[in-house]
Amino acid sequence: MNGTQFWSLAVSAIFVQNLVLIYFLWDGSFYKAIKKPKTGLLFGILVTAATTLSSVLCWLLNRFVLRQFSLEFLAPFAFVLVITLLETAAYAAIKAISPKYKDEILKILPASAFGCAVLGLVLINVQANTRGFFGTAFYGLCAGIGYLAAIFLVMSALERVRFSAPPPVFKGLPIALVTAGIISLGLMGFSGIVIPY
Amino acid sequence: MNRTKGKKQSSNGIKVKSSAKRLLSENPVFVRAVAIVPILGAALTLKSGLLISAAMILTVLFLNLAMYGLNMVVPKKFIFTAAFLTAGIVVTPVCMFANYIAPTIAPLCGIYLPILSVCALPMIETRHYGAKYGILRTALDALFDGAGFAVAAVVFSVIREIIGNGTLYDRPMPGFSQFKFSFALAPAGAFILLGLVCALFRKIFGMKEDNGEGMK
């Protein structure tokens, strides 16, 4: 793969196929993360690490085990198992290394690893099946960056919306969804962009 | 003896009434704000809405029953990890079953069928673990949780299909088929439409504003 192909993958992962705003891969943890900037940043970084590593491992599993032995029907369980093992290893590593924000990281680690984004991205990669090993890893990294960007976009927008006093029936989830929809409308402008290589 | 029988019957009635709250006043999608992802992604038509509803009911039911047993053997420290693994084990045959009964519709649901495993996790009733709630009550609550999701999925998919395609169950709707609004089928349209449906649901049933506490 050349530089332009990686650039094309980056634009695709961050904007055209954004995990949150195009694929809807958000959940309760995302909603809680966008309430505090520090938690949001930490959560986004953990999701980026999870998406990158799980993309790589699940690509290998799919290529050399599932497709080799015609076990594609076991894909959901196999990928969940890989993600679980990854999270367990990360938990042990963080406890051993003991970084600065160890307690905060350990609190949100399960939510970031076991969310829709990681499993969803792995399934998207398997469906696409055209990127190769390095392409998949890079796509996973960029998809995580896109997730982080979406957290801050939605968080900033919701902060402004809260001050504008929406009608009572819209407070909370409804206005969050409408806001995300309007931001997603902007990203839809990127659809159809093809970077020639 | 008749008095005890009457008491037992009324206690069963209370259990069903309490579980039935999950259909409306404690609806998992519109009120508790969980399991939104498959509704946004897969509920494009009534057929796919019905398929993911059936898949979610099965997933939530089996997951809750499995966790009821696992909670007795797995230490509390690892229960979340065990739940995620169990969800993966439960959703695999559910996806295979969905592909078997609806081979043309299941591929259209794409990645959102396996994602049901993650979305069912917030619907695990941790309060059912222990001596207080029996397995029957756990199953009942899980069933009604799934049914609440089904209500949301069916309502949303009907609205989305009529507005976006002008059809219902692939049959053209008189009056709507000429005025298709394809934006409803796009991601942005899905977000906005679900936000509006959620607000309408809360207005009709007099729900209180949500402060996001329902999202785990």
Side-chain angles (χ1 to χ4, degrees), chain B residues 38-104:
Chain B
I39 289 187
L40 287 168
L44 290 157
T45 61
L46 180 56
K47 284 183 180 176
S48 53
L50 289 169
L51 181 66
I52 55 160
S53 301
M56 181 58 112
I57 289 172
L58 290 172
T59 307
V60 172
L61 180 64
F62 291 132
L63 186 59
N64 268 284
L65 293 176
M67 287 312 299
Y68 184 85
L70 274 175
N71 193 63
M72 296 176 202
V73 293
V74 175
K76 282 234 174 316
K77 215 167 50 167
F78 303 116
I79 201 71
F80 194 41
T81 310
F84 187 63
L85 255 177
T86 313
I89 295 170
V90 164
V91 91
T92 305
V94 169
C95 288
M96 287 164 65
F97 180 65
N99 275 289
Y100 176 72
I101 59 166
T104 48

Side-chain angles (χ1 to χ4, degrees), chain A residues 20-21 23-24 26 28-29 31 35 73 77 80-81 84 110 114 116 119-120 123 171-174 177 181 184-185 188, chain B residues 33 37 40-41 80-81 84-85 89 92 111-112 114-115 117-118 183 186-188 191 195 202 209-212 215-216:
Chain A
V20 174
L21 298 167
Y23 277 108
F24 318 108
W26 70 341
S29 341
Y31 195 72
K35 290 190 171 183
F73 61 93
F77 169 65
V80 161
L81 184 63
T84 309
F114 298 150
C116 295
L119 182 61
L123 293 165
K171 282 184 180 164
L173 178 68
L177 286 170
S184 176
L185 194 59
M188 277 171 66
Chain B
V37 175
L40 287 168
F80 194 41
T81 310
F84 187 63
L85 255 177
I89 295 170
T92 305
I111 64 168
Y112 299 101
I115 293 271
S117 59
V118 177
F183 178 68
F191 274 119
R202 291 179 185 192
E209 67 172 73
D210 174 63
N211 57 3
M215 298 193 80
K216 293 183 188 127

Side-chain angles (χ1 to χ4, degrees), chain B:
Chain B
M1 194 157 172
N2 283 340
R3 234 184 285 165
T4 359
K5 197 177 177 185
K7 248 192 185 169
K8 196 177 177 183
Q9 278 175 346
S10 73
S11 143
N12 284 339
I14 289 169
K15 278 183 198 167
V16 174
K17 201 175 171 185
S18 167
S19 301
K21 277 189 203 168
R22 286 150 197 272
L23 281 176
L24 293 176
S25 61
E26 287 175 23
N27 187 283
V29 176
F30 295 137
V31 179
R32 282 158 51 206
V34 296
I36 295 170
V37 175
I39 289 187
L40 287 168
L44 290 157
T45 61
L46 180 56
K47 284 183 180 176
S48 53
L50 289 169
L51 181 66
I52 55 160
S53 301
M56 181 58 112
I57 289 172
L58 290 172
T59 307
V60 172
L61 180 64
F62 291 132
L63 186 59
N64 268 284
L65 293 176
M67 287 312 299
Y68 184 85
L70 274 175
N71 193 63
M72 296 176 202
V73 293
V74 175
K76 282 234 174 316
K77 215 167 50 167
F78 303 116
I79 201 71
F80 194 41
T81 310
F84 187 63
L85 255 177
T86 313
I89 295 170
V90 164
V91 91
T92 305
V94 169
C95 288
M96 287 164 65
F97 180 65
N99 275 289
Y100 176 72
I101 59 166
T104 48
I105 305 164
L108 298 176
C109 295
I111 64 168
Y112 299 101
L113 271 175
I115 293 271
L116 289 178
S117 59
V118 177
C119 295
L121 285 176
M123 293 201 228
I124 294 174
E125 278 299 335
T126 49
R127 70 192 172 103
H128 283 184
Y129 304 151
K132 199 177 173 192
Y133 292 99
I135 198 156
L136 195 63
R137 176 71 190 269
T138 305
L140 208 60
D141 275 350
L143 215 58
F144 276 102
D145 250 340
F149 174 88
V151 163
V154 167
V155 164
F156 186 66
S157 59
V158 163
I159 293 172
R160 209 170 168 195
E161 190 180 357
I162 290 175
I163 296 175
N165 252 342
T167 59
L168 184 63
Y169 210 78
D170 289 344
R171 293 188 176 95
M173 289 285 288
F176 286 99
S177 44
Q178 292 117 0
F179 303 105
K180 282 186 273 190
F181 189 42
S182 308
F183 178 68
L185 300 173
F191 274 119
I192 293 170
L193 203 56
L194 186 62
L196 294 173
V197 170
C198 195
L200 189 66
F201 185 89
R202 291 179 185 192
K203 180 78 181 170
I204 291 171
F205 294 103
M207 302 294 166
K208 286 185 189 165
E209 67 172 73
D210 174 63
N211 57 3
E213 289 306 319
M215 298 193 80
K216 293 183 188 127

